[in-house]
Amino acid sequence: MDDYKARLSVRILEKKKETFKTVLLLIDNGSALIGGPPHEGGTLLLRIKVKFE
């Protein structure tokens, strides 16, 4: 992380098995929408927003 951006590692585990893994580079007041792994007949959608304080 620095004054303008942050690197975020995202992992999703299901029953101790990794089902999703990615790295995001986010800027201040930025957000990312990522489609995750299948889950219970659908797909997980993750919205990640960052604000530096």
Side-chain angles (χ1 to χ4, degrees):
M1 183 171 158
D2 63 29
D3 291 341
Y4 304 104
K5 61 184 179 275
R7 187 176 307 268
L8 178 67
S9 176
V10 179
R11 291 176 52 213
I12 296 175
L13 303 175
E14 187 172 348
K15 297 180 182 174
K16 298 185 181 181
K17 180 181 176 194
E18 186 175 90
T19 59
F20 183 83
K21 181 179 181 180
T22 192
V23 175
L24 301 174
L25 182 61
L26 297 166
I27 59 172
D28 190 16
N29 280 328
S31 64
L33 179 64
I34 53 179
H39 181 71
E40 296 182 5
T43 301
L44 290 177
L45 292 177
L46 305 169
R47 181 172 182 251
I48 299 173
K49 181 166 175 59
V50 63
K51 182 174 181 178
F52 300 169
E53 294 185 1

